[in-house]
Amino acid sequence: MTQQSASPGFASTSPQPDFRRFRRTRMTDALRSMVRETELSPRHFIYPLFVVHGTKVRREISSMPGVFQLSVDELVRECIDVHRMGIPAVILFGIPEHKDEVGSEAYDEHGIVQNAIRALKKEVPELVVITDVCMCEYTSHGHCGIVRGNEIVNDASIELLAREALTHAQAGADMVAPSDMFDGRIQAIRTILDANNFTNLPIMSYAAKYASGFYGPFREAAESTPKFGDRRSHQMDSANSDEALREVAEDIEEGADIVMVKPALSYLDVIRRVKDTFHMPTAAYNVSGEYSMIKAAGRNGWIDEPRVMMEVLLSIRRAGADIILTYFAKDAARLLRG
Ligand code: PBG
């Protein structure tokens, strides 16, 4: 080793270190943004909303601070805001006046969601109105379809789901999103839509939807907790991801235009596999429990809520989701627009 000369103005002649300096591109905001791989923008969001009968109803969900059950008049006001913030789409969940064994209001042309769609398409025509197609909010037993004995029946249920989707389309919905996880529902819905001249109406399929504990707060919001049993006979087992690929492949085959993985955070690996395998427009649902945990910890001062929110949303995008359904849509849009 020779002694280094320390003459000012001359570069050192010592050998380069044999490690890479990743920190060079992290030194300033400008540099960090130049090398940033993943982008988060309000255009990626779908905002879920809960609609109820009545007027001037704005009832906060106790387990979901900042999320409300809204009557149609309040929903319209909310959606004008949402649209103004650059969020392109909402997804509607309805809470009916009466529940019965066969979920009649789900496919009633004057049901709560059908009324909400008509009002929104009149008042905020550019907002993309997506509807959740399921029966669990509408049935007295809280299951996603028809129940016989202890069985949640598949084939009779998908006929009703197809009818429900058709009434949404007829009311003016821009997209339907079946969330039940019965077999064959995408084909049944595509068939009835096409037969009624809705060939251009896209279907976003809840394609890989897991039986999850993270839906707890949603069931308070949508009043859809099953009265007996659970959803494990149709929603997926958390342990499986090869099966998720088979579910997604089948839904694409049957006519799904956008495929969804749900929940998002415990299933980031599934989002990545789905995106890499099918190269389809891929959505992920950042579900109620994922929202409520961050809200609760934020309120306790245990985490920096806005920071964690952005980190979580970015992680879902990084995993491969093009679209994120999230209760954080407005909060995040506000932050993103400075
Ligand atoms: C079914 C449906 C559920 C969610 C969306 N659609 C609940 C379930 O399957 O029990 C959950 C969404 C969330 O937790 O945010 N209609």
Side-chain angles (χ1 to χ4, degrees):
M1 287 280 276
T2 54
Q3 191 68 31
Q4 238 183 41
S5 77
S7 44
F10 287 90
S12 158
T13 53
S14 67
Q16 289 293 305
D18 62 357
F19 56 81
R20 281 175 221 287
R21 294 194 184 272
F22 291 104
R23 296 183 55 190
R24 287 183 194 123
T25 51
R26 291 178 196 153
M27 288 296 164
T28 66
D29 265 343
L31 284 166
R32 285 189 290 270
S33 83
M34 285 171 73
V35 298
R36 190 161 293 141
E37 298 171 37
T38 309
E39 195 197 317
L40 193 60
S41 141
R43 76 179 178 87
H44 300 124
F45 300 148
I46 298 174
Y47 191 45
L49 288 163
F50 301 95
V51 53
V52 293
H53 287 273
T55 51
K56 296 197 164 67
V57 181
R58 195 175 168 83
R59 195 181 301 130
E60 193 166 28
I61 313 305
S62 64
S63 56
M64 298 180 75
V67 176
F68 300 81
Q69 291 182 340
L70 302 170
S71 51
V72 172
D73 51 326
E74 292 286 329
L75 177 82
V76 166
R77 289 188 16 199
E78 182 79 20
C79 286
I80 290 171
D81 246 26
V82 167
H83 178 60
R84 211 178 275 142
M85 298 174 92
I87 298 162
V90 295
I91 182 165
L92 301 181
F93 298 91
I95 293 106
E97 193 103 75
H98 301 290
K99 300 181 188 243
D100 61 31
E101 290 272 299
V102 291
S104 304
E105 197 181 314
Y107 37 89
D108 180 338
E109 65 171 304
H110 300 296
I112 184 63
V113 163
Q114 291 82 352
N115 290 344
I117 298 164
R118 280 186 290 265
L120 288 179
K121 291 319 294 182
K122 183 156 168 273
E123 305 294 337
V124 209
E126 282 149 38
L127 185 73
V128 177
V129 176
I130 307 171
T131 58
D132 183 82
V133 176
C134 194
M135 311 255 296
C136 63
E137 300 97 339
Y138 300 92
T139 52
S140 44
H141 40 69
H143 283 295
C144 308
I146 303 287
V147 172
R148 280 190 205 120
N150 279 329
E151 194 191 337
I152 303 159
V153 179
N154 195 88
D155 298 12
S157 296
I158 66 177
E159 277 180 42
L160 294 181
L161 291 166
R163 266 174 73 184
E164 180 181 3
L166 179 61
T167 62
H168 293 173
Q170 287 167 334
D174 297 299
M175 190 184 304
V176 292
S179 66
D180 52 284
M181 286 298 280
F182 298 135
D183 295 319
R185 78 262 164 77
I186 302 301
Q187 184 178 71
I189 291 170
R190 189 71 269 161
T191 304
I192 200 170
L193 289 178
D194 289 354
N196 287 275
N197 286 321
F198 291 106
T199 42
N200 285 330
L201 195 95
I203 300 176
M204 175 166 67
S205 165
Y206 287 68
K209 174 174 175 178
Y210 289 85
S212 168
F214 288 99
Y215 306 152
F218 171 94
R219 292 181 186 170
E220 183 200 338
E223 301 175 12
S224 65
T225 308
K227 297 279 182 299
F228 62 90
D230 55 36
R231 309 217 201 288
R232 285 172 216 260
S233 78
H234 49 292
Q235 298 180 350
M236 283 186 57
D237 185 329
S238 318
N240 299 349
S241 83
D242 286 346
E243 188 189 4
L245 299 186
R246 298 199 296 275
E247 279 278 8
V248 172
E250 175 64 25
D251 282 7
I252 295 168
E253 189 71 21
E254 291 181 24
D257 302 283
I258 300 174
V259 291
M260 191 201 302
V261 174
K262 177 185 170 192
L265 293 183
S266 297
Y267 303 88
L268 292 174
D269 58 322
V270 179
I271 297 171
R272 172 50 62 197
R273 287 191 77 187
V274 166
K275 187 65 187 175
D276 286 350
T277 306
F278 301 104
H279 308 286
M280 285 285 286
T282 303
Y285 203 139
N286 177 213
V287 300
S288 57
E290 298 170 341
Y291 173 84
S292 300
M293 289 193 305
I294 292 175
K295 282 282 171 191
R299 290 191 161 200
N300 273 314
W302 294 341
I303 57 169
D304 175 343
E305 180 189 320
R307 183 173 173 186
V308 170
M309 165 183 78
M310 296 308 255
E311 189 172 337
V312 157
L313 294 172
L314 195 63
S315 76
I316 299 169
R317 290 268 305 135
R318 195 193 61 236
D322 304 293
I323 298 167
I324 308 174
L325 295 91
T326 180
Y327 305 98
F328 284 121
K330 282 171 62 188
D331 292 350
R334 223 173 270 125
L335 269 188
L336 287 165
R337 314 183 115 211

